[in-house]
Amino acid sequence: MFFTYLRRELRRRRKAALVISMGLALGIGLVLTVTSVSAGMKNAQSTVLHSLYGLGTDITVTKSAAAGAGGGAQKFGIQQSGSGSKSSSADRLSVNQGTATMASSTVTQVASQSNVEAAVGSLLLNDFKFDGSFKLKSGTSSTSTGTGQGGGQQGGEGGGQGGTPPSGAANFSLNTLTIMGTDTSNITVGPLSSLKITSGVNFTSAQSNSLVAVVDSSYATQKKLKVGSTVTISGKAFKVIGIATASSGTSAANVYIPLTQAQTLADMKNKVTTVYVKASSSQQISAVKTAITKNVSGTTVTTASDLASTVSGSLSTAANLVTSMGKWLSLAVLAAAFLISSLLTSSAVNRRVREFGTLKALGWRSKRVIGQVMGEALVNGLIGGVLGIALGLAGAAAITAFSPTLSASTASSTASQGGPGGGGGPGQAASAAAKAIEVHLTAPVTLSAIAVAVALAVAGGLVAGGFGGWRASRLRPADALRRVE
Amino acid sequence: MYRLSGVTKHYSRGKETVRALDGIDLEIPDGGQLVIQGPTGGGKSTLLQMLGGLDRPTGGTVELAGHDLGAIGEAKLTKVRAELIGFVFQSFNLIPTLSAQENVETALVPMGIAKEERHKRAFAALESVGLGERSNHVPSELSGGQQQRVAIARALVKEPKVLLADEPTGNLDEETRDEIMELLHGLWRERGLTFIMVTHDTAIAGRAPRLATIRAGKVTVSENADAQVWAG
């Protein structure tokens, strides 16, 4: 009788049922869409952060240079005497301005902290190459060229073209290259984890001191490098074993070589610039950060969430919009839908006073009458849920299909990982100080989001049914019959 | 046996207290019949509600089969209504979305009777009022007289001890009224019910063997041994 009565009533009041269901559907659809867009935003932010960190990295540990220490312009002192044409070249490897190196033992120290699953060190170097020829009329000329170093995140390549000294002519070029010395024993954490090998192979742990390199695909294209080619750094030839693209965003360096080789070339034995840390679980990241900050003094510990706050651009704006306005809008619509469905259900109960009064007179207990009202409201809620999920899926699919491009910029505060900035001195700027990444927004609908939608539908039905049931329970059969006669 | 002692029912209407029932003493034996008449607002429907356990008196007692309907708990009162009392209303009060058969079954639902048994008994009840062939029709497909027959079948399907009818012919034409009255009297005789009916129809009141007239909350009972009772 319950289901027969339920079915017939819903059929009889299908317009009202549809209004209630559509109201709930709108709220639920909006919540689902906002939830999926929010998940898409998180994915996009994660993409941005992964491009900076590497997929397996939760925390980075760096050390800032002491005020006044290091950095400054790169000096290439060239002394020429006599007359005629002279050529000259210089190659300098150094760490980024504002960054200090740490002892390799820091990696072990970090790895020994509780809840640290893995820690690897890397050495990020800038290689400044100067090549030029000078035509001297007479006497001695001295040229000093400086390359200003920005604190950029991007491993850019800078180039400078020619200058003319006062007493003659010169034609020289300045090239910058970023080199990442990486721990080849663990490529799942750190800069290598965000690389996707498109040609050749990645490092193996046996290559910790080999003259091998993995080259960023953009740089490889620019320099016409392929697997088997050689790339020369500070006079040493490295065999290219792999071409890689960053799985997202821009690669952290132009060339990746084994850490030991990088340390040797830069004369920085047992030094690293960054320690990449993977926590044993995402819940432990904060605790690991606290432990490292406390136990490894003089370091700057940065987590993904710290870094997320430095992300700006349309991604950041959109994410803020979704978390603030989107959330409140969907909650407001949902609350309105609950209220409207409750009022409509209550109004339907008022129109059925005689019906419920008669049933009570026949001996139906109040809870059976309430159950009938609740059942009808619950079905309305579930219909609303199905429609709402369909609306939400359609909304999410539309967003994914439209796939708006969002840009994200990371501030130069992450300079410790960055590449060289603009090429100072004569020539043109090479790269920006901040890293700009473009990501396409998707709106993935997860099972948990659908479960939330179903729960909201049930809740909506129960709230409306509870309201209507409360009205029905207060009816006395005599009042119910008296009101219509 | 119904036994009413000093039953009062007072309502507040603004600052005024309305004495709908003002000290009713009345006995109705099992299997007896009582017709209640009186002017509009005289308290006849209120008295019927007290008898049916649809409302509780302000004072006094309403006893039915050993239960004081004014004092027992709500659950018990609901059970008494479900098992002992059948109602017939002036406006039929059928559920518009349910068929005649399903409407009759609603009276068996609170008794916890299984579906198959409900079907069987409901159909038999409809046959007893001459509507076996219309059992699948919804109320809107039935005439007023047929709807009242369905309501009577619903009242009697649970085999109650008491049948309470509140102006059961109020919405019917004379010919249908007579059919319904004959049907009710036939069932009363056949089943040995206690039959109490409220009416403002003087033709019906004139044919009642026992008539209670209620005015200003007070009741006067008169017997009419020569009444021309309804056939059936």
Side-chain angles (χ1 to χ4, degrees), chain B residues 52-65:
Chain B
L54 299 178
D55 206 348
R56 293 175 190 269
T58 309
T61 58
V62 180
E63 280 184 36
L64 171 65

Side-chain angles (χ1 to χ4, degrees), chain A residues 368-463:
Chain A
R368 188 182 288 275
V369 175
I370 294 169
Q372 201 68 41
V373 175
M374 293 280 277
E376 290 171 19
L378 198 59
V379 171
N380 284 338
L382 289 174
I383 293 170
V386 170
L387 292 174
I389 288 170
L391 271 177
L393 287 174
I399 289 167
T400 304
F402 183 60
S403 188
T405 303
L406 298 171
S407 66
S409 305
T410 52
S412 56
S413 60
T414 53
S416 55
Q417 294 169 286
Q428 58 192 120
S431 63
K435 183 171 186 175
I437 295 167
E438 284 195 342
V439 284
H440 289 282
L441 179 65
T442 58
V445 180
T446 59
L447 278 177
S448 60
I450 289 177
V452 167
V454 171
L456 285 174
V458 171
L462 289 177
V463 167

Side-chain angles (χ1 to χ4, degrees), chain A residues 127-288:
Chain A
D127 183 14
F128 297 91
K129 284 185 178 176
F130 174 86
D131 283 295
S133 60
F134 300 84
K135 283 182 180 173
L136 298 175
K137 286 178 180 171
S138 62
T140 299
S141 175
S142 173
T143 299
S144 179
T145 304
T147 58
Q149 289 179 295
Q153 178 70 23
Q154 187 177 11
E157 188 197 3
Q161 278 298 323
T164 306
S167 56
N171 183 19
F172 61 88
S173 65
L174 177 68
N175 289 300
T176 60
L177 174 67
T178 51
I179 297 156
M180 180 76 84
T182 61
D183 187 344
T184 58
S185 64
N186 187 351
I187 60 171
T188 59
V189 182
L192 291 175
S193 65
S194 63
L195 293 182
K196 187 177 164 192
I197 301 292
T198 54
S199 174
V201 293
N202 208 334
F203 296 113
T204 63
S205 46
Q207 291 169 322
S208 62
N209 199 21
S210 304
L211 291 169
V212 288
V214 169
V215 180
D216 171 51
S217 59
S218 302
Y219 183 74
T221 305
Q222 192 185 349
K223 298 293 178 186
K224 297 184 175 59
L225 296 172
K226 54 188 180 185
V227 174
S229 304
T230 55
V231 57
T232 305
I233 304 165
S234 275
K236 268 193 178 177
F238 287 80
K239 185 184 176 187
V240 177
I241 58 165
I243 307 291
T245 54
S247 56
S248 52
T250 313
S251 181
N254 301 128
V255 179
Y256 298 82
I257 61 174
L259 178 60
T260 313
Q261 284 293 341
Q263 289 169 334
T264 307
L265 284 176
D267 197 20
M268 294 179 186
K269 265 202 172 304
N270 296 321
K271 298 284 184 193
V272 293
T273 50
T274 308
V275 181
Y276 294 84
V277 185
K278 181 172 173 54
S280 57
S281 77
S282 58
Q283 284 79 34
Q284 301 298 335
I285 292 173
S286 181
V288 170

Side-chain angles (χ1 to χ4, degrees), chain B residues 4-228:
Chain B
L4 283 72
S5 305
V7 173
T8 58
K9 182 67 182 179
H10 298 165
Y11 301 107
S12 292
R13 190 182 293 159
K15 289 178 181 175
E16 189 188 353
T17 299
V18 178
R19 296 170 184 273
L21 299 178
D22 194 10
I24 305 284
D25 295 307
L26 190 63
E27 282 192 6
I28 308 160
D30 287 342
Q33 186 193 126
L34 181 70
V35 173
I36 303 169
Q37 73 157 171
T40 302
K44 53 187 189 299
S45 286
T46 305
L47 177 60
L48 198 74
Q49 285 167 5
M50 299 299 148
L51 293 168
L54 299 178
D55 206 348
R56 293 175 190 269
T58 309
T61 58
V62 180
E63 280 184 36
L64 171 65
H67 302 288
D68 181 352
L69 303 188
I72 57 176
E74 196 59 44
K76 186 81 177 167
L77 187 61
T78 302
K79 194 167 187 285
V80 167
R81 282 202 303 266
E83 292 175 356
L84 302 182
I85 304 170
F87 290 95
V88 177
F89 305 98
Q90 180 180 357
S91 306
F92 326 132
N93 290 16
L94 299 177
I95 309 296
T97 52
L98 300 180
S99 68
Q101 165 120 8
E102 289 158 349
N103 263 290
V104 175
E105 283 186 44
T106 57
L108 298 176
V109 167
M111 298 172 77
I113 295 169
K115 192 177 176 180
E116 288 298 313
E117 179 69 13
R118 279 206 318 255
H119 280 329
K120 209 182 295 177
R121 285 175 64 173
F123 188 73
L126 282 171
E127 279 196 317
S128 73
V129 297
L131 283 177
E133 290 178 358
R134 313 283 282 178
S135 63
N136 289 325
H137 290 251
V138 292
S140 61
E141 295 168 345
L142 301 171
S143 68
Q146 287 171 328
Q147 287 187 53
Q148 194 60 295
R149 283 169 184 266
V150 174
I152 292 167
R154 180 179 65 184
L156 298 178
V157 70
K158 59 191 176 187
E159 297 174 357
K161 285 187 177 300
V162 179
L163 177 63
L164 300 179
D166 189 3
E167 309 235 21
T169 58
N171 285 353
L172 303 175
D173 58 46
E174 274 188 29
E175 191 182 339
T176 314
R177 175 199 70 186
D178 292 350
E179 281 175 23
I180 292 295
M181 287 308 298
E182 283 167 7
L183 173 66
L184 285 170
H185 273 78
L187 292 167
W188 165 58
R189 281 200 200 93
E190 186 184 309
R191 303 192 179 203
L193 296 161
T194 302
F195 177 36
I196 301 167
M197 179 172 65
V198 164
T199 185
H200 65 267
D201 187 330
T202 49
I204 293 173
R207 295 173 70 171
R210 193 169 183 228
L211 182 67
T213 306
I214 187 162
R215 277 196 180 84
K218 295 192 180 293
V219 71
T220 317
V221 178
S222 60
E223 309 279 344
N224 184 4
D226 302 326
Q228 186 193 351

